[in-house]
C-alpha cells in the first residue's frame, strides 16, 4: 500500500460520514494514473496553486482600485482568507480539508482586473454575458496549460462553479467555501473600508453589534462558530436563521456604504470604459492577442467574443492599463 492509499484509508476512518472521500471522487474528464503520495484533491490543490492564473490574482483588485497603502486586500489575499476560514470550519466538522482548500484557492481564478467593475464591463459588452464563477471553471478546464486545462476532479469544479450566493454545491466542502467566501469579503472589506475612513463601527446598528460582535474580528469569530455549531454531524452546512439574517443585513450595509460609495468607486467608471475599449479593439484585431488565445479561435473554433473575454479577464490591473496605453495613448516622439 503506497502513501496515497494509506491517506485515503485514514480519510475513511477519521472523516465524517458526510465528507467527500478522495477515494470516492467522481474523477476527472481525462483519466490519469494516480499520484503515489497525494490524494486526488491534494493534487488538484497543487495544480491550482502552481497555475499562472493563481499567480495573477496578486495584481487584481478586490474592492479598492489602486489603493494608497500596503495593507488593503487584493484578489489573492481574499482567496487566501477564504481558504483559511473554510479550512477551519472543515477541520472542526471532520470534512475533507484538501477538497475545501482546492475549491477555495480556485474559486476566483476567472475574475477580471478591477474586481466586479471589470466583470460588469465584460458582461455588458459580450453578447453571451460574462460571470466570473463560470470563467473560473473555464480557466481550469480550458485555458490553463496552453489550452489543456488542469483536468481537476468533478468535485473541485462543482465547488468552484457554485461558490456564488445562488449556487448549490454538491458537496459539504463546496457549501463551506460558499459560506466562507461571503464571510471573508464582509470581514475584510469592512476592515479595509474602516482603514480608508469610509465606514466606522458607529455606522453599524447597535443591535447588530450586540448580536455579532463589536469588531470585525469578533464578528468573524461569531460567523465561524455559528456554522460549526449548526452543521456538526449534519448533512448540510448552515447558519442559524438569526445569525444568517444578521450577516445579510451587514452585507446590505456594506453595499450601501462601501460597494457603491463614491469615494471607494470613483475610478471604476474609468476602468469600465477602458476594458470596454479594449474589448472592441480585440474583437476587431484578434491577431494582436497572445498566440495561445489566437489558437483558441483558429485551431479550436472557439467564438471570438469568448476568447476576447478570456484574454481580458486573464489580465492583471496593471497589464490591462499598460495595453490600453500602448494601443490608445500617443507615444512621445522626436528627432534622434
Amino acid at each position: 500500500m503506497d502513501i496515497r492509499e494509506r491517506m485515503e484509508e485514514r480519510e475513511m476512518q477519521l472523516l465524517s460520514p458526510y465528507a467527500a472521500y478522495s477515494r470516492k471522487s467522481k474523477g476527472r474528464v481525462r483519466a490519469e494514473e494516480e499520484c503515489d503520495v497525494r490524494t486526488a484533491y491534494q493534487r488538484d490543490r497543487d495544480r491550482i496553486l502552481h497555475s499562472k492564473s493563481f499567480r495573477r490574482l496578486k495584481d487584481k483588485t478586490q474592492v479598492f482600485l489602486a489603493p494608497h497603502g500596503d495593507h488593503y486586500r487584493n484578489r489573492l489575499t481574499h482567496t487566501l482568507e477564504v481558504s483559511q476560514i473554510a479550512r477551519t470550519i472543515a477541520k472542526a466538522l471532520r470534512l475533507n480539508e484538501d477538497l475545501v482548500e482546492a475549491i477555495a484557492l480556485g474559486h476566483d481564478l476567472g475574475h477580471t482586473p478591477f474586481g466586479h467593475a471589470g466583470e460588469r464591463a465584460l458582461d455588458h459588452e459580450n453578447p453571451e454575458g460574462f460571470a466570473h464563477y463560470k470563467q473560473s471553471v473555464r480557466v481550469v478546464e480550458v485555458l490553463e496549460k496552453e489550452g489543456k486545462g488542469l483536468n481537476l476532479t468533478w468535485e473541485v469544479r462543482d465547488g468552484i462553479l457554485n461558490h456564488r450566493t445562488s449556487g448549490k454545491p454538491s458537496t459539504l466542502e463546496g457549501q463551506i467555501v460558499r459560506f466562507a467566501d461571503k464571510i471573508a469579503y464582509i470581514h475584510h472589506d469592512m476592515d479595509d473600508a474602516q482603514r480608508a475612513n469610509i465606514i466606522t463601527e458607529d455606522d453599524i446598528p447597535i443591535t447588530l453589534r450586540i448580536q455579532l460582535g463589536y469588531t470585525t474580528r469578533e464578528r468573524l469569530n461569531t460567523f465561524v462558530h455559528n456554522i460549526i455549531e449548526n452543521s456538526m454531524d449534519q448533512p448540510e452546512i448552515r447558519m442559524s436563521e438569526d445569525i444568517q439574517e444578521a450577516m445579510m443585513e451587514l452585507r446590505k450595509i456594506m453595499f450601501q456604504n462601501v460597494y457603491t460609495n463614491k469615494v471607494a468607486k470613483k475610478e471604476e467608471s474609468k476602468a469600465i470604459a477602458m476594458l470596454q475599449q479594449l474589448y472592441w479593439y480585440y474583437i476587431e484585431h484578434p491577431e494582436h492577442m497572445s498566440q495561445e488565445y489566437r489558437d483558441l479561435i483558429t485551431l479550436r473554433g472557439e467564438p471570438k467574443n469568448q476568447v476576447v473575454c478570456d484574454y481580458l479577464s486573464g489580465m492583471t490591473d496593471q497589464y490591462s492599463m499598460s495595453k490600453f496605453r500602448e494601443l490608445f495613448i500617443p507615444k512621445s516622439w522626436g528627432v534622434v
Side-chain angles (χ1 to χ4, degrees), residues 310-333:
D310 294 339
Y311 186 49
L312 292 177
S313 64
M315 291 181 177
T316 63
D317 294 11
Q318 290 298 323
Y319 187 73
S320 65
M321 289 190 286
S322 174
K323 295 304 289 185
F324 184 84
R325 284 192 294 268
E326 175 188 322
L327 296 171
F328 297 108
I329 305 300
K331 296 177 176 63
S332 301
W333 63 278

mmCIF file of all heavy atoms in Angstrom, residues 310-333:
data_model
loop_
_atom_site.group_PDB
_atom_site.id
_atom_site.type_symbol
_atom_site.label_atom_id
_atom_site.label_comp_id
_atom_site.label_asym_id
_atom_site.label_seq_id
_atom_site.Cartn_x
_atom_site.Cartn_y
_atom_site.Cartn_z
ATOM 1 N N ASP A 310 -11.728 35.852 -22.496
ATOM 2 C CA ASP A 310 -10.675 35.046 -21.868
ATOM 3 C C ASP A 310 -9.395 35.866 -21.714
ATOM 4 O O ASP A 310 -8.763 35.871 -20.652
ATOM 5 C CB ASP A 310 -10.357 33.811 -22.725
ATOM 6 C CG ASP A 310 -11.496 32.815 -22.805
ATOM 7 O OD1 ASP A 310 -12.378 32.833 -21.923
ATOM 8 O OD2 ASP A 310 -11.500 32.027 -23.771
ATOM 9 N N TYR A 311 -9.034 36.540 -22.777
ATOM 10 C CA TYR A 311 -7.790 37.321 -22.795
ATOM 11 C C TYR A 311 -7.849 38.478 -21.805
ATOM 12 O O TYR A 311 -6.937 38.666 -20.997
ATOM 13 C CB TYR A 311 -7.554 37.831 -24.215
ATOM 14 C CG TYR A 311 -6.239 38.543 -24.430
ATOM 15 C CD1 TYR A 311 -5.038 37.986 -24.001
ATOM 16 C CD2 TYR A 311 -6.198 39.769 -25.096
ATOM 17 C CE1 TYR A 311 -3.832 38.639 -24.213
ATOM 18 C CE2 TYR A 311 -4.983 40.430 -25.316
ATOM 19 C CZ TYR A 311 -3.812 39.859 -24.870
ATOM 20 O OH TYR A 311 -2.612 40.503 -25.071
ATOM 21 N N LEU A 312 -8.943 39.226 -21.835
ATOM 22 C CA LEU A 312 -9.057 40.400 -20.965
ATOM 23 C C LEU A 312 -9.216 40.013 -19.500
ATOM 24 O O LEU A 312 -8.619 40.631 -18.615
ATOM 25 C CB LEU A 312 -10.233 41.271 -21.407
ATOM 26 C CG LEU A 312 -10.076 41.969 -22.760
ATOM 27 C CD1 LEU A 312 -11.341 42.737 -23.113
ATOM 28 C CD2 LEU A 312 -8.876 42.901 -22.760
ATOM 29 N N SER A 313 -10.008 38.997 -19.213
ATOM 30 C CA SER A 313 -10.223 38.612 -17.811
ATOM 31 C C SER A 313 -8.961 38.034 -17.193
ATOM 32 O O SER A 313 -8.788 38.073 -15.977
ATOM 33 C CB SER A 313 -11.385 37.618 -17.696
ATOM 34 O OG SER A 313 -11.090 36.402 -18.363
ATOM 35 N N GLY A 314 -8.069 37.515 -18.020
ATOM 36 C CA GLY A 314 -6.812 36.985 -17.505
ATOM 37 C C GLY A 314 -5.794 38.052 -17.172
ATOM 38 O O GLY A 314 -4.804 37.778 -16.505
ATOM 39 N N MET A 315 -6.034 39.283 -17.626
ATOM 40 C CA MET A 315 -5.079 40.360 -17.384
ATOM 41 C C MET A 315 -5.105 40.814 -15.925
ATOM 42 O O MET A 315 -6.135 40.770 -15.274
ATOM 43 C CB MET A 315 -5.400 41.566 -18.273
ATOM 44 C CG MET A 315 -5.156 41.351 -19.743
ATOM 45 S SD MET A 315 -5.555 42.867 -20.683
ATOM 46 C CE MET A 315 -5.097 42.356 -22.340
ATOM 47 N N THR A 316 -3.979 41.299 -15.446
ATOM 48 C CA THR A 316 -3.932 41.997 -14.160
ATOM 49 C C THR A 316 -4.340 43.449 -14.381
ATOM 50 O O THR A 316 -4.419 43.925 -15.525
ATOM 51 C CB THR A 316 -2.518 41.965 -13.560
ATOM 52 O OG1 THR A 316 -1.631 42.679 -14.442
ATOM 53 C CG2 THR A 316 -2.029 40.533 -13.385
ATOM 54 N N ASP A 317 -4.589 44.160 -13.295
ATOM 55 C CA ASP A 317 -4.932 45.581 -13.405
ATOM 56 C C ASP A 317 -3.860 46.335 -14.192
ATOM 57 O O ASP A 317 -4.158 47.078 -15.131
ATOM 58 C CB ASP A 317 -5.041 46.220 -12.013
ATOM 59 C CG ASP A 317 -6.196 45.675 -11.190
ATOM 60 O OD1 ASP A 317 -6.800 44.659 -11.580
ATOM 61 O OD2 ASP A 317 -6.480 46.274 -10.131
ATOM 62 N N GLN A 318 -2.610 46.162 -13.792
ATOM 63 C CA GLN A 318 -1.518 46.931 -14.398
ATOM 64 C C GLN A 318 -1.302 46.556 -15.856
ATOM 65 O O GLN A 318 -1.035 47.426 -16.704
ATOM 66 C CB GLN A 318 -0.219 46.724 -13.599
ATOM 67 C CG GLN A 318 -0.218 47.368 -12.226
ATOM 68 C CD GLN A 318 -0.373 48.884 -12.304
ATOM 69 O OE1 GLN A 318 0.159 49.532 -13.212
ATOM 70 N NE2 GLN A 318 -1.119 49.446 -11.368
ATOM 71 N N TYR A 319 -1.424 45.273 -16.170
ATOM 72 C CA TYR A 319 -1.209 44.851 -17.559
ATOM 73 C C TYR A 319 -2.289 45.401 -18.474
ATOM 74 O O TYR A 319 -2.007 45.840 -19.600
ATOM 75 C CB TYR A 319 -1.158 43.328 -17.655
ATOM 76 C CG TYR A 319 -0.779 42.838 -19.032
ATOM 77 C CD1 TYR A 319 0.527 42.956 -19.494
ATOM 78 C CD2 TYR A 319 -1.732 42.258 -19.872
ATOM 79 C CE1 TYR A 319 0.885 42.516 -20.762
ATOM 80 C CE2 TYR A 319 -1.387 41.814 -21.148
ATOM 81 C CZ TYR A 319 -0.080 41.946 -21.584
ATOM 82 O OH TYR A 319 0.267 41.508 -22.848
ATOM 83 N N SER A 320 -3.543 45.428 -18.015
ATOM 84 C CA SER A 320 -4.620 45.965 -18.847
ATOM 85 C C SER A 320 -4.399 47.464 -19.090
ATOM 86 O O SER A 320 -4.620 47.963 -20.200
ATOM 87 C CB SER A 320 -5.991 45.718 -18.207
ATOM 88 O OG SER A 320 -6.128 46.421 -16.984
ATOM 89 N N MET A 321 -3.936 48.186 -18.067
ATOM 90 C CA MET A 321 -3.658 49.611 -18.252
ATOM 91 C C MET A 321 -2.474 49.804 -19.197
ATOM 92 O O MET A 321 -2.471 50.733 -20.018
ATOM 93 C CB MET A 321 -3.377 50.276 -16.900
ATOM 94 C CG MET A 321 -4.620 50.411 -16.031
ATOM 95 S SD MET A 321 -4.379 51.445 -14.564
ATOM 96 C CE MET A 321 -3.404 50.345 -13.535
ATOM 97 N N SER A 322 -1.483 48.944 -19.103
ATOM 98 C CA SER A 322 -0.328 49.021 -19.990
ATOM 99 C C SER A 322 -0.734 48.795 -21.441
ATOM 100 O O SER A 322 -0.292 49.513 -22.351
ATOM 101 C CB SER A 322 0.718 47.997 -19.564
ATOM 102 O OG SER A 322 1.790 47.946 -20.479
ATOM 103 N N LYS A 323 -1.599 47.795 -21.686
ATOM 104 C CA LYS A 323 -2.064 47.536 -23.045
ATOM 105 C C LYS A 323 -2.897 48.698 -23.570
ATOM 106 O O LYS A 323 -2.807 49.064 -24.746
ATOM 107 C CB LYS A 323 -2.880 46.244 -23.091
ATOM 108 C CG LYS A 323 -2.116 44.982 -22.774
ATOM 109 C CD LYS A 323 -0.905 44.793 -23.671
ATOM 110 C CE LYS A 323 -1.265 44.445 -25.100
ATOM 111 N NZ LYS A 323 -0.053 44.138 -25.920
ATOM 112 N N PHE A 324 -3.695 49.297 -22.692
ATOM 113 C CA PHE A 324 -4.506 50.444 -23.108
ATOM 114 C C PHE A 324 -3.601 51.602 -23.529
ATOM 115 O O PHE A 324 -3.824 52.230 -24.571
ATOM 116 C CB PHE A 324 -5.432 50.877 -21.972
ATOM 117 C CG PHE A 324 -6.369 51.995 -22.347
ATOM 118 C CD1 PHE A 324 -7.568 51.740 -22.993
ATOM 119 C CD2 PHE A 324 -6.042 53.315 -22.057
ATOM 120 C CE1 PHE A 324 -8.430 52.767 -23.348
ATOM 121 C CE2 PHE A 324 -6.894 54.355 -22.403
ATOM 122 C CZ PHE A 324 -8.089 54.073 -23.057
ATOM 123 N N ARG A 325 -2.587 51.892 -22.723
ATOM 124 C CA ARG A 325 -1.651 52.969 -23.077
ATOM 125 C C ARG A 325 -0.946 52.671 -24.396
ATOM 126 O O ARG A 325 -0.784 53.550 -25.242
ATOM 127 C CB ARG A 325 -0.616 53.159 -21.959
ATOM 128 C CG ARG A 325 -1.150 53.889 -20.735
ATOM 129 C CD ARG A 325 -0.008 54.298 -19.811
ATOM 130 N NE ARG A 325 0.647 53.138 -19.232
ATOM 131 C CZ ARG A 325 0.315 52.582 -18.071
ATOM 132 N NH1 ARG A 325 -0.700 53.082 -17.364
ATOM 133 N NH2 ARG A 325 0.974 51.543 -17.611
ATOM 134 N N GLU A 326 -0.553 51.416 -24.565
ATOM 135 C CA GLU A 326 0.142 51.015 -25.789
ATOM 136 C C GLU A 326 -0.734 51.194 -27.029
ATOM 137 O O GLU A 326 -0.258 51.624 -28.090
ATOM 138 C CB GLU A 326 0.577 49.551 -25.653
ATOM 139 C CG GLU A 326 1.213 48.943 -26.890
ATOM 140 C CD GLU A 326 1.428 47.448 -26.726
ATOM 141 O OE1 GLU A 326 1.789 47.013 -25.604
ATOM 142 O OE2 GLU A 326 1.231 46.714 -27.705
ATOM 143 N N LEU A 327 -2.016 50.893 -26.878
ATOM 144 C CA LEU A 327 -2.909 50.890 -28.038
ATOM 145 C C LEU A 327 -3.568 52.231 -28.315
ATOM 146 O O LEU A 327 -3.851 52.557 -29.469
ATOM 147 C CB LEU A 327 -3.994 49.822 -27.846
ATOM 148 C CG LEU A 327 -3.514 48.369 -27.792
ATOM 149 C CD1 LEU A 327 -4.646 47.443 -27.379
ATOM 150 C CD2 LEU A 327 -2.941 47.939 -29.149
ATOM 151 N N PHE A 328 -3.824 53.013 -27.249
ATOM 152 C CA PHE A 328 -4.659 54.197 -27.428
ATOM 153 C C PHE A 328 -4.005 55.536 -27.048
ATOM 154 O O PHE A 328 -4.535 56.582 -27.392
ATOM 155 C CB PHE A 328 -5.952 54.053 -26.612
ATOM 156 C CG PHE A 328 -6.806 52.906 -27.073
ATOM 157 C CD1 PHE A 328 -6.930 51.750 -26.295
ATOM 158 C CD2 PHE A 328 -7.486 52.951 -28.282
ATOM 159 C CE1 PHE A 328 -7.715 50.697 -26.711
ATOM 160 C CE2 PHE A 328 -8.285 51.896 -28.709
ATOM 161 C CZ PHE A 328 -8.391 50.770 -27.930
ATOM 162 N N ILE A 329 -2.899 55.507 -26.342
ATOM 163 C CA ILE A 329 -2.259 56.761 -25.937
ATOM 164 C C ILE A 329 -1.099 57.068 -26.865
ATOM 165 O O ILE A 329 -0.190 56.224 -27.020
ATOM 166 C CB ILE A 329 -1.755 56.666 -24.474
ATOM 167 C CG1 ILE A 329 -2.914 56.252 -23.539
ATOM 168 C CG2 ILE A 329 -1.146 57.996 -24.035
ATOM 169 C CD1 ILE A 329 -4.080 57.205 -23.521
ATOM 170 N N PRO A 330 -1.073 58.234 -27.489
ATOM 171 C CA PRO A 330 0.032 58.580 -28.399
ATOM 172 C C PRO A 330 1.384 58.530 -27.683
ATOM 173 O O PRO A 330 1.501 58.956 -26.529
ATOM 174 C CB PRO A 330 -0.290 60.001 -28.851
ATOM 175 C CG PRO A 330 -1.764 60.139 -28.642
ATOM 176 C CD PRO A 330 -2.090 59.298 -27.434
ATOM 177 N N LYS A 331 2.361 58.001 -28.366
ATOM 178 C CA LYS A 331 3.699 57.890 -27.788
ATOM 179 C C LYS A 331 4.501 59.171 -28.053
ATOM 180 O O LYS A 331 4.287 59.864 -29.046
ATOM 181 C CB LYS A 331 4.433 56.692 -28.375
ATOM 182 C CG LYS A 331 3.784 55.360 -28.042
ATOM 183 C CD LYS A 331 4.540 54.225 -28.716
ATOM 184 C CE LYS A 331 3.950 52.869 -28.316
ATOM 185 N NZ LYS A 331 2.543 52.731 -28.760
ATOM 186 N N SER A 332 5.426 59.457 -27.156
ATOM 187 C CA SER A 332 6.309 60.596 -27.373
ATOM 188 C C SER A 332 7.192 60.326 -28.582
ATOM 189 O O SER A 332 7.532 59.175 -28.896
ATOM 190 C CB SER A 332 7.187 60.827 -26.144
ATOM 191 O OG SER A 332 6.386 61.075 -25.001
ATOM 192 N N TRP A 333 7.582 61.401 -29.283
ATOM 193 C CA TRP A 333 8.442 61.222 -30.452
ATOM 194 C C TRP A 333 9.399 62.402 -30.535
ATOM 195 O O TRP A 333 9.251 63.415 -29.863
ATOM 196 C CB TRP A 333 7.608 61.116 -31.737
ATOM 197 C CG TRP A 333 6.817 62.366 -32.023
ATOM 198 C CD1 TRP A 333 5.618 62.737 -31.501
ATOM 199 C CD2 TRP A 333 7.217 63.438 -32.875
ATOM 200 N NE1 TRP A 333 5.232 63.950 -31.979
ATOM 201 C CE2 TRP A 333 6.191 64.412 -32.845
ATOM 202 C CE3 TRP A 333 8.336 63.673 -33.678
ATOM 203 C CZ2 TRP A 333 6.254 65.590 -33.569
ATOM 204 C CZ3 TRP A 333 8.397 64.850 -34.419
ATOM 205 C CH2 TRP A 333 7.356 65.801 -34.362
#
